[in-house]
Amino acid sequence: MTAVPPMEQRSNQHPHARFRWPSILRLTCLGVMVGGVVATTLVMLWQLRTPYWLDEANTIFYLQQPFPRMLRYIASDFFPPAYYFLLRGWAAWFGVSEVATGSLSLLLFCLAAAITYALGRRLFDRPTAAAATVLLWVSNAGVYYATETRMYALLIVAAAASTALLVALLQQPKRWQLYLGYGVVTLLGVYTHYAFWFLVYAQNLAVVLLQRKWPTRLLRLPFVLLQVFFLIAYAPQWFVLWDKVTTWYLAPGESWVDLVPVGLNLFWSIPHELLLFTQLEIWLCGVGWTVAAVLLVLPWIRLQIRWRSREVKLSLRPFEPRVALLALSVLVPLFALYALGVNVARYAAFLAPLLALLVVRGASYLPPDYQRVAVAGVVGLVATVNVVAALAAPKHFQNVAWPA
């Protein structure tokens, strides 16, 4: 009687005899992520040809004025002038049309995706960087703001680049080129949108609280001098900002943001940077918030479950200054904007790259196969919802398009 070889030998003799779930799983996850990127890219290109909506039309109106008159209009506008100057130079070469002006935002968003990948590699590793870049690309920040003729794509670039340069400074504090680059990019950010000041504050808070946790120490004097430089270089805009604060936020009466139920503005804000929740049912908002909350909590808490012995252990993970830096950079501006009562979901769009890195980093604490499933599932959900929402309601809500 012939002896039956053990299972290991049989599997070696017939390498294709067993059904290899991990390989199928990897291919499925990769297919979901590639499909999400392709579908989102096609929607972005399609949205380039959709008409301007009200805010975009206002931008084009400024752009078409003689330069001295444009300066007067910008001075009375709610936002700083950096994007208007950049767009005017772009339009001088490529003209004024939906495709031409939207292409600038799309190019800027491509740059933001590349910087997000570089930041992810510097903070974590290549898989985390690649997955976060994909999540950023299919997010609401990509589907909505990547083709909008407004300053938000530039703001996303400035936020990602400023954070990347700050991390580089913390790792290589003696390179003066990094101080120069950080100063220029951060100044670009605050001259693009007032909300960027909250990110600057969060970065300073992170440096004060986390500097001792990094292997190297940041040079204090150059960094402090940079902050003084920001305040002085922003001097022309401080008077405009004060005028906006006194006439807009402190003025009596009800504004349009007061119509949002208490807490709902903040409740939507974190998932809204990934999903177009204005197009969804409320229960899906709850699902998105739950998924985002779980992934954001994973870097801080270790949960061990042993089914056979019915044991559950909950403990804190070792402190990671990299994750803490991202968390502070997201949460501080978020709550500051909420305290001001502004449209958090829109003004906090520049946090999308940092939020994508946090979400993917949270998934990295799962077992390897579960990591792929979690990231691919989030990317697939985000891409599907955003693509369907964009097709159902073309760019920027046509009910406020201009001309009507």
mmCIF file of all heavy atoms in Angstrom, residues 42 51 59 63 71 82-83 114 126 134 136 142 160 173 179 181 201 249 260 268 270 273 279 292 312 392:
data_model
loop_
_atom_site.group_PDB
_atom_site.id
_atom_site.type_symbol
_atom_site.label_atom_id
_atom_site.label_comp_id
_atom_site.label_asym_id
_atom_site.label_seq_id
_atom_site.Cartn_x
_atom_site.Cartn_y
_atom_site.Cartn_z
ATOM 1 N N LEU A 42 -11.668 60.410 -14.398
ATOM 2 C CA LEU A 42 -12.608 60.692 -15.488
ATOM 3 C C LEU A 42 -13.639 61.731 -15.067
ATOM 4 O O LEU A 42 -14.007 62.617 -15.855
ATOM 5 C CB LEU A 42 -13.301 59.394 -15.922
ATOM 6 C CG LEU A 42 -12.403 58.355 -16.606
ATOM 7 C CD1 LEU A 42 -13.190 57.084 -16.891
ATOM 8 C CD2 LEU A 42 -11.801 58.920 -17.887
ATOM 9 N N PRO A 51 -20.251 74.501 -16.193
ATOM 10 C CA PRO A 51 -20.262 75.972 -16.051
ATOM 11 C C PRO A 51 -19.766 76.417 -14.672
ATOM 12 O O PRO A 51 -19.770 75.675 -13.702
ATOM 13 C CB PRO A 51 -21.741 76.333 -16.250
ATOM 14 C CG PRO A 51 -22.352 75.156 -16.925
ATOM 15 C CD PRO A 51 -21.598 73.962 -16.458
ATOM 16 N N THR A 59 -14.816 85.099 -9.059
ATOM 17 C CA THR A 59 -13.373 85.069 -9.309
ATOM 18 C C THR A 59 -13.048 85.532 -10.725
ATOM 19 O O THR A 59 -12.118 86.315 -10.943
ATOM 20 C CB THR A 59 -12.834 83.649 -9.083
ATOM 21 O OG1 THR A 59 -13.137 83.224 -7.755
ATOM 22 C CG2 THR A 59 -11.331 83.586 -9.307
ATOM 23 N N LEU A 63 -10.897 88.719 -12.288
ATOM 24 C CA LEU A 63 -9.801 88.432 -13.212
ATOM 25 C C LEU A 63 -9.871 89.298 -14.465
ATOM 26 O O LEU A 63 -8.837 89.667 -15.045
ATOM 27 C CB LEU A 63 -9.841 86.947 -13.582
ATOM 28 C CG LEU A 63 -8.592 86.345 -14.210
ATOM 29 C CD1 LEU A 63 -7.464 86.332 -13.212
ATOM 30 C CD2 LEU A 63 -8.894 84.935 -14.702
ATOM 31 N N LEU A 71 -7.122 95.001 -7.962
ATOM 32 C CA LEU A 71 -6.555 95.148 -6.627
ATOM 33 C C LEU A 71 -7.563 95.730 -5.649
ATOM 34 O O LEU A 71 -7.640 95.306 -4.485
ATOM 35 C CB LEU A 71 -5.304 96.026 -6.687
ATOM 36 C CG LEU A 71 -4.079 95.449 -7.411
ATOM 37 C CD1 LEU A 71 -2.949 96.461 -7.404
ATOM 38 C CD2 LEU A 71 -3.645 94.149 -6.770
ATOM 39 N N ALA A 82 -3.317 85.816 -2.900
ATOM 40 C CA ALA A 82 -2.303 85.000 -3.581
ATOM 41 C C ALA A 82 -2.882 84.232 -4.767
ATOM 42 O O ALA A 82 -2.300 84.211 -5.865
ATOM 43 C CB ALA A 82 -1.660 84.025 -2.594
ATOM 44 N N TYR A 83 -4.037 83.603 -4.581
ATOM 45 C CA TYR A 83 -4.611 82.806 -5.671
ATOM 46 C C TYR A 83 -5.014 83.677 -6.856
ATOM 47 O O TYR A 83 -4.831 83.277 -8.016
ATOM 48 C CB TYR A 83 -5.822 82.018 -5.160
ATOM 49 C CG TYR A 83 -6.540 81.279 -6.273
ATOM 50 C CD1 TYR A 83 -5.992 80.137 -6.836
ATOM 51 C CD2 TYR A 83 -7.770 81.739 -6.763
ATOM 52 C CE1 TYR A 83 -6.643 79.460 -7.855
ATOM 53 C CE2 TYR A 83 -8.422 81.064 -7.782
ATOM 54 C CZ TYR A 83 -7.860 79.937 -8.323
ATOM 55 O OH TYR A 83 -8.503 79.274 -9.340
ATOM 56 N N ALA A 114 1.389 64.528 -5.099
ATOM 57 C CA ALA A 114 2.808 64.156 -5.082
ATOM 58 C C ALA A 114 3.457 64.517 -3.749
ATOM 59 O O ALA A 114 4.245 63.732 -3.196
ATOM 60 C CB ALA A 114 3.533 64.835 -6.242
ATOM 61 N N ARG A 126 6.502 53.483 2.181
ATOM 62 C CA ARG A 126 5.935 53.611 0.833
ATOM 63 C C ARG A 126 4.487 53.136 0.736
ATOM 64 O O ARG A 126 3.665 53.824 0.113
ATOM 65 C CB ARG A 126 6.813 52.853 -0.165
ATOM 66 C CG ARG A 126 8.159 53.515 -0.423
ATOM 67 C CD ARG A 126 8.917 52.771 -1.505
ATOM 68 N NE ARG A 126 10.191 53.417 -1.802
ATOM 69 C CZ ARG A 126 11.048 53.003 -2.707
ATOM 70 N NH1 ARG A 126 10.773 51.914 -3.426
ATOM 71 N NH2 ARG A 126 12.193 53.640 -2.909
ATOM 72 N N VAL A 134 -3.731 57.755 -2.821
ATOM 73 C CA VAL A 134 -4.935 57.276 -3.519
ATOM 74 C C VAL A 134 -6.193 57.765 -2.816
ATOM 75 O O VAL A 134 -7.151 58.224 -3.464
ATOM 76 C CB VAL A 134 -4.917 55.737 -3.604
ATOM 77 C CG1 VAL A 134 -6.252 55.203 -4.114
ATOM 78 C CG2 VAL A 134 -3.787 55.272 -4.521
ATOM 79 N N LEU A 136 -6.531 60.408 -0.954
ATOM 80 C CA LEU A 136 -6.673 61.841 -1.218
ATOM 81 C C LEU A 136 -7.235 62.082 -2.606
ATOM 82 O O LEU A 136 -8.091 62.954 -2.803
ATOM 83 C CB LEU A 136 -5.314 62.535 -1.075
ATOM 84 C CG LEU A 136 -5.264 64.009 -1.493
ATOM 85 C CD1 LEU A 136 -6.102 64.862 -0.546
ATOM 86 C CD2 LEU A 136 -3.820 64.517 -1.533
ATOM 87 N N GLY A 142 -10.599 65.929 -3.793
ATOM 88 C CA GLY A 142 -10.228 65.728 -5.190
ATOM 89 C C GLY A 142 -11.386 65.931 -6.143
ATOM 90 O O GLY A 142 -11.302 66.688 -7.109
ATOM 91 N N ALA A 160 0.035 70.691 2.577
ATOM 92 C CA ALA A 160 0.851 69.482 2.469
ATOM 93 C C ALA A 160 2.338 69.827 2.442
ATOM 94 O O ALA A 160 3.154 69.180 3.116
ATOM 95 C CB ALA A 160 0.450 68.697 1.223
ATOM 96 N N PRO A 173 17.500 69.455 11.325
ATOM 97 C CA PRO A 173 17.313 70.845 11.784
ATOM 98 C C PRO A 173 18.431 71.803 11.386
ATOM 99 O O PRO A 173 18.284 73.011 11.599
ATOM 100 C CB PRO A 173 17.241 70.692 13.304
ATOM 101 C CG PRO A 173 17.996 69.436 13.596
ATOM 102 C CD PRO A 173 17.757 68.523 12.426
ATOM 103 N N TYR A 179 14.513 75.735 6.243
ATOM 104 C CA TYR A 179 13.884 76.885 6.906
ATOM 105 C C TYR A 179 13.360 77.872 5.866
ATOM 106 O O TYR A 179 12.260 78.415 6.005
ATOM 107 C CB TYR A 179 14.884 77.578 7.828
ATOM 108 C CG TYR A 179 15.231 76.792 9.069
ATOM 109 C CD1 TYR A 179 16.317 75.935 9.080
ATOM 110 C CD2 TYR A 179 14.468 76.915 10.222
ATOM 111 C CE1 TYR A 179 16.649 75.213 10.225
ATOM 112 C CE2 TYR A 179 14.794 76.197 11.371
ATOM 113 C CZ TYR A 179 15.880 75.350 11.360
ATOM 114 O OH TYR A 179 16.193 74.630 12.487
ATOM 115 N N GLY A 181 12.535 77.205 2.691
ATOM 116 C CA GLY A 181 11.380 76.631 2.001
ATOM 117 C C GLY A 181 10.129 76.637 2.853
ATOM 118 O O GLY A 181 9.030 76.960 2.373
ATOM 119 N N TYR A 201 -0.512 77.739 13.740
ATOM 120 C CA TYR A 201 -0.592 77.636 15.202
ATOM 121 C C TYR A 201 -0.451 76.174 15.642
ATOM 122 O O TYR A 201 0.259 75.873 16.621
ATOM 123 C CB TYR A 201 -1.921 78.207 15.691
ATOM 124 C CG TYR A 201 -2.166 77.998 17.168
ATOM 125 C CD1 TYR A 201 -1.484 78.753 18.121
ATOM 126 C CD2 TYR A 201 -3.062 77.031 17.608
ATOM 127 C CE1 TYR A 201 -1.695 78.557 19.477
ATOM 128 C CE2 TYR A 201 -3.279 76.825 18.959
ATOM 129 C CZ TYR A 201 -2.599 77.580 19.887
ATOM 130 O OH TYR A 201 -2.808 77.373 21.226
ATOM 131 N N TYR A 249 -17.891 88.422 11.218
ATOM 132 C CA TYR A 249 -18.154 87.518 12.328
ATOM 133 C C TYR A 249 -18.816 88.212 13.511
ATOM 134 O O TYR A 249 -19.670 87.626 14.180
ATOM 135 C CB TYR A 249 -16.842 86.867 12.793
ATOM 136 C CG TYR A 249 -16.245 85.955 11.763
ATOM 137 C CD1 TYR A 249 -15.017 86.230 11.179
ATOM 138 C CD2 TYR A 249 -16.918 84.806 11.363
ATOM 139 C CE1 TYR A 249 -14.474 85.395 10.231
ATOM 140 C CE2 TYR A 249 -16.383 83.970 10.404
ATOM 141 C CZ TYR A 249 -15.156 84.270 9.847
ATOM 142 O OH TYR A 249 -14.622 83.444 8.900
ATOM 143 N N VAL A 260 -27.111 76.120 10.165
ATOM 144 C CA VAL A 260 -26.711 74.729 10.348
ATOM 145 C C VAL A 260 -26.969 74.335 11.793
ATOM 146 O O VAL A 260 -26.604 75.068 12.712
ATOM 147 C CB VAL A 260 -25.218 74.539 10.014
ATOM 148 C CG1 VAL A 260 -24.803 73.085 10.192
ATOM 149 C CG2 VAL A 260 -24.948 74.999 8.594
ATOM 150 N N TRP A 268 -20.012 66.708 10.546
ATOM 151 C CA TRP A 268 -19.784 66.385 9.151
ATOM 152 C C TRP A 268 -18.352 66.651 8.696
ATOM 153 O O TRP A 268 -17.917 66.119 7.685
ATOM 154 C CB TRP A 268 -20.725 67.207 8.275
ATOM 155 C CG TRP A 268 -22.084 66.614 8.147
ATOM 156 C CD1 TRP A 268 -22.515 65.413 8.636
ATOM 157 C CD2 TRP A 268 -23.212 67.181 7.474
ATOM 158 N NE1 TRP A 268 -23.820 65.206 8.345
ATOM 159 C CE2 TRP A 268 -24.285 66.279 7.619
ATOM 160 C CE3 TRP A 268 -23.417 68.373 6.784
ATOM 161 C CZ2 TRP A 268 -25.540 66.522 7.077
ATOM 162 C CZ3 TRP A 268 -24.669 68.612 6.251
ATOM 163 C CH2 TRP A 268 -25.721 67.712 6.391
ATOM 164 N N ILE A 270 -15.025 66.144 9.454
ATOM 165 C CA ILE A 270 -13.950 65.182 9.185
ATOM 166 C C ILE A 270 -14.318 64.239 8.045
ATOM 167 O O ILE A 270 -13.578 64.128 7.066
ATOM 168 C CB ILE A 270 -13.581 64.405 10.462
ATOM 169 C CG1 ILE A 270 -12.838 65.318 11.435
ATOM 170 C CG2 ILE A 270 -12.681 63.214 10.123
ATOM 171 C CD1 ILE A 270 -12.370 64.628 12.698
ATOM 172 N N GLU A 273 -14.366 65.787 4.322
ATOM 173 C CA GLU A 273 -13.176 65.963 3.510
ATOM 174 C C GLU A 273 -12.921 64.728 2.644
ATOM 175 O O GLU A 273 -12.168 64.786 1.682
ATOM 176 C CB GLU A 273 -11.960 66.248 4.393
ATOM 177 C CG GLU A 273 -12.126 67.434 5.317
ATOM 178 C CD GLU A 273 -12.693 68.667 4.626
ATOM 179 O OE1 GLU A 273 -12.394 68.883 3.445
ATOM 180 O OE2 GLU A 273 -13.443 69.412 5.271
ATOM 181 N N GLN A 279 -24.678 65.153 -0.341
ATOM 182 C CA GLN A 279 -25.462 64.390 -1.305
ATOM 183 C C GLN A 279 -25.956 63.063 -0.732
ATOM 184 O O GLN A 279 -26.528 62.254 -1.454
ATOM 185 C CB GLN A 279 -24.606 64.108 -2.549
ATOM 186 C CG GLN A 279 -24.028 65.346 -3.194
ATOM 187 C CD GLN A 279 -25.105 66.260 -3.715
ATOM 188 O OE1 GLN A 279 -26.127 65.802 -4.217
ATOM 189 N NE2 GLN A 279 -24.889 67.550 -3.609
ATOM 190 N N ALA A 292 -14.222 56.541 10.001
ATOM 191 C CA ALA A 292 -13.115 57.486 10.203
ATOM 192 C C ALA A 292 -12.673 57.510 11.663
ATOM 193 O O ALA A 292 -11.472 57.536 11.956
ATOM 194 C CB ALA A 292 -13.541 58.881 9.750
ATOM 195 N N VAL A 312 -10.421 39.866 26.486
ATOM 196 C CA VAL A 312 -10.345 41.131 25.766
ATOM 197 C C VAL A 312 -9.409 42.052 26.542
ATOM 198 O O VAL A 312 -9.635 42.325 27.734
ATOM 199 C CB VAL A 312 -11.727 41.790 25.605
ATOM 200 C CG1 VAL A 312 -11.584 43.135 24.892
ATOM 201 C CG2 VAL A 312 -12.671 40.874 24.843
ATOM 202 N N ALA A 392 -24.623 62.871 -10.194
ATOM 203 C CA ALA A 392 -26.020 63.212 -9.910
ATOM 204 C C ALA A 392 -26.219 64.719 -9.809
ATOM 205 O O ALA A 392 -27.262 65.242 -10.220
ATOM 206 C CB ALA A 392 -26.461 62.532 -8.620
#
